[in-house]
Every structure is written in C-alpha cells, then in structure tokens.
Amino acid sequence: MRTFSTAVSQALAQDYVEYFFLVELELNASYYMTTHAEDITVGADTYTANGAIFNYDPPKQNSVIDRDAYKIAFIDPNNQLMQEARAGIVGKTVRIRAGFVHSTLGPLTSASDLVYVYSGYVDAPSITNDFETKILSIECSSPMADLDAVKPFFTTKYGIAQYDTGDTCFDRIHDGYSLQLKWGKT
C-alpha cells in the first residue's frame, strides 16, 4: 500500500483535488516541464510551465510486472524536441512525477510529497506536423519491456561461431555420431 505524507493526505482530503505533473526528459539535453500554471522548482531543477505538454496517459497503478507503454505528447513550436528526435532519443530516460496543490501551502514540491507516475525509456518517437500544430509524441517503454523480447539461439556450428569462433561445442551436433552403450548388467 502506498503511503503519503501528511501534507499530501490533507491535499487529497480537500473538496477539490488539484494536481500537476513534472516531466523530466533526459534526452541529448535535459528538459524539465510541468503541467502546473507556474514554474515549479524541485531541488536544483526548475520545471517550466510553458504549455509544451499537450497530452499524456493517465497514471495507473499496476501490481504485476509487465511491459505496459506510456504515451506523452509535446507541442514543439521552436523545433527543439524535433531536433532531439532527429538526433536520436530512443532509449533515453523519461521520469514523470505527480504533485498536489494544498489549499494553504500551495504546490507540494518536497521529494516526500511527489509521487512517481512513470519511469522508463523512450521507445518510439513520432512527429506530427499539420501546418497548424507540431506535436512530438513519445511512446515510452517500461524497464520490463524486454520481457517480450525473442532472441533465438541456433544450436549449430555456425550459430555458436557468432559468439565465439574458437568454441567447438556444436561442431558435431548435426553429424550422425555413433555411440555404443552397454545396457543392463554385465
């Protein structure tokens, strides 16, 4: 069961629960963005509220290990993210945390008050440009994405040679090797 700090518990007990997301993209450069109306500083990092986060999957709690993907889209008017995508961002780190706004304390930005919603890697970026908006969509895979990976291993002389040319363990695997065994009592 997830436990929350006292301030977060009070914020969740309010009649109207206000929340925000903090998105950290560690691409070729680091980007810090928030869905909050104002910039938010957490530690030494300032998350900008420039409206670049266009769409995101809602957070969901999962109790099983799976490879569930997470999608997030960004508006990119100044081509920064598009240039990042062209330079190659597959495998780069993405972290998303949720924060809450307390009625008297304001945005709760302490590390104990923030909840990790997603932590994983960029899997499939795509750019949509319809001459009115330019959107970079990122599909992120979880660290468990390799659970579905299929890596065949061929038990042939040439199959093992791709790993070690000096290994001879499969040299006779397809040869008809005659072996006589004495069966029973002698």
Side-chain angles (χ1 to χ4, degrees):
M1 185 171 150
R2 182 172 278 186
T3 58
F4 296 109
S5 67
T6 305
V8 170
S9 297
Q10 291 172 354
L12 291 173
Q14 299 173 143
D15 291 335
Y16 176 73
V17 177
E18 186 179 350
Y19 63 93
F20 57 90
F21 290 107
L22 301 174
V23 177
E24 182 179 341
L25 299 172
E26 290 182 8
L27 307 178
N28 299 311
S30 293
Y31 297 89
Y32 301 96
M33 295 174 255
T34 184
T35 59
H36 195 262
E38 299 172 356
D39 291 354
I40 292 180
T41 302
V42 177
D45 302 321
T46 299
Y47 293 80
T48 58
N50 58 2
I53 300 173
F54 178 67
N55 193 10
Y56 51 86
D57 281 350
K60 56 184 168 182
Q61 187 172 351
N62 210 349
S63 61
V64 297
I65 296 175
D66 63 1
R67 63 166 299 321
D68 200 19
Y70 189 86
K71 294 177 186 161
I72 186 164
F74 303 95
I75 295 175
D76 187 30
N78 57 5
N79 292 332
Q80 279 184 313
L81 295 175
M82 185 172 72
Q83 290 172 0
E84 289 277 357
R86 286 184 177 160
I89 60 173
V90 173
K92 303 290 183 171
T93 304
V94 177
R95 286 186 208 89
I96 301 171
R97 293 184 282 180
F100 301 95
V101 180
H102 193 277
S103 59
T104 56
L105 301 174
L108 303 174
T109 60
S110 171
S112 62
D113 296 334
L114 298 172
V115 178
Y116 271 97
V117 172
Y118 181 82
S119 182
Y121 306 100
V122 175
D123 191 26
S126 65
I127 299 168
T128 306
N129 187 353
D130 63 1
F131 300 106
E132 291 180 18
T133 57
K134 188 176 355 165
I135 297 172
L136 172 69
S137 297
I138 297 176
E139 184 174 310
C140 304
S141 63
S142 71
M144 298 298 163
D146 288 338
L147 289 175
D148 289 338
V150 177
K151 293 185 179 182
F153 182 77
F154 297 101
T155 55
T156 64
K157 177 180 180 178
Y158 303 106
I160 196 67
Q162 63 184 330
Y163 299 103
D164 185 1
T165 55
D167 195 341
T168 60
C169 68
F170 291 148
D171 281 0
R172 294 178 164 199
I173 198 123
H174 287 293
D175 294 343
Y177 188 75
S178 64
L179 178 66
Q180 293 183 359
L181 295 173
K182 293 183 179 180
W183 187 259
K185 294 183 179 180
T186 54

